[in-house]
Amino acid sequence: MRYSWTEFHGALTHFPVALIIAAFLFEAGALLFSKVEWRTVSFWCLAAGVIGAAISLLSGTMAANETFGAGASPPHALFWHRTGAIVTASLGALLLLGRIAAKDKLSGPGRAASMAALVAVTAAVSFTGYLGGSMVFGSDQPDAVAAFAAPAQPIADPAADQGLSKAALQGARLVQEEHCLSCHRINGQGASDDPDLTHEGSRHSDPNWQVRHLQHPSQVDAGSDMPSFAALSKDQLNALAAYLVSRK
């Protein structure tokens, strides 16, 4: 089974969210109930959460590069999701370093500032998690979400699959695996932000054109913000081209 950065990020990212929220809850409890040991738990939850947030940020960046191509402009929601993750990791690291420098024995204004910073980190990680959830489970683009999360399989309907070449069927699977439906739509499935590919073969019937466009979108179509798929193998590019050309 082939695992992806997207799957790794999805499995990992919940832990720093939970740990940072737990750090806030234990810190608040320590203040309300004068529980010194709860502040110790809060410190270690924060430490683990900050480390997890940094790793999650790295895995999320790799997942975005894997999906959209390194250097490509990310979708709006992904941009803010990434920004929230950067703010969370940065503020959390600064707060953790401050508590370490003070040997976690802050009092008075220092304790209040530490609590305020923890509230900010908790708000940032909660907002970041909300954006991540909205991209996966949101109702704004449910078909695109289903296409992104569903197991890899040909997305063409069974009737349309009849008569497709082996290469075209492989291309249909690659459309799913490479998350093309997070931007495009085919047979009513997927997003609606970019061109509908249901009848792509009627517009561009030359497989060589399709391969060039997949490799260098902006060179073939000036102003295109589509990520490059030049990292795919020649066989994979030809399979995608065969499938797109078959869409009449």
Side-chain angles (χ1 to χ4, degrees):
M1 182 178 292
R2 181 176 69 89
Y3 294 97
S4 66
W5 279 105
T6 300
E7 292 168 316
F8 179 70
H9 179 68
L12 173 71
T13 192
H14 300 87
F15 292 100
V17 175
L19 285 164
I20 290 172
I21 291 175
F24 166 74
L25 293 175
F26 276 106
E27 184 72 9
L31 282 172
L32 289 173
F33 304 111
S34 300
K35 297 284 189 178
V36 176
E37 61 273 21
W38 286 17
R39 189 145 209 273
T40 302
V41 175
S42 169
F43 173 85
W44 288 110
C45 284
L46 177 64
V50 169
I51 293 171
I55 297 173
S56 187
L57 177 59
L58 173 62
S59 67
T61 300
M62 297 302 294
N65 292 344
E66 181 179 71
T67 303
F68 300 103
S73 298
H76 184 74
L78 176 58
F79 170 81
W80 287 110
H81 178 65
R82 180 185 295 169
T83 300
I86 293 171
V87 170
T88 297
S90 300
L91 281 179
L94 289 173
L95 172 58
L96 182 62
L97 289 173
R99 290 180 66 166
I100 291 172
K103 297 183 179 180
D104 209 24
K105 297 184 182 298
L106 295 167
S107 61
R111 182 84 178 268
S114 174
M115 187 64 187
L118 185 53
V119 169
V121 175
T122 305
V125 79
S126 299
F127 181 64
T128 303
Y130 166 77
L131 289 176
S134 69
M135 287 191 292
V136 177
F137 301 109
S139 59
D140 52 343
Q141 289 185 339
D143 293 333
V145 169
F148 191 86
Q153 57 184 335
I155 51 81
D157 58 74
D161 276 350
Q162 294 178 7
L164 286 184
S165 67
K166 182 178 179 180
L169 285 172
Q170 181 189 356
R173 285 189 290 271
L174 283 167
V175 165
Q176 192 83 15
E177 292 172 2
E178 298 299 325
H179 311 303
C180 299
L181 298 190
S182 62
C183 294
H184 295 284
R185 181 177 290 267
I186 298 177
N187 288 344
Q189 301 178 44
S192 56
D193 294 344
D194 287 311
D196 190 314
L197 300 179
T198 303
H199 304 293
E200 174 64 13
S202 298
R203 291 192 296 269
H204 302 104
S205 59
D206 182 3
N208 293 325
W209 184 94
Q210 295 288 353
V211 170
R212 290 196 305 272
H213 184 250
L214 289 165
Q215 291 175 315
H216 307 291
S218 61
Q219 294 180 17
V220 176
D221 182 10
S224 173
D225 59 357
M226 174 176 154
S228 170
F229 290 87
L232 295 179
S233 69
K234 181 179 179 181
D235 288 343
Q236 288 175 315
L237 289 168
N238 287 334
L240 276 171
Y243 176 70
L244 292 171
V245 167
S246 74
R247 305 297 313 173
K248 301 295 186 180

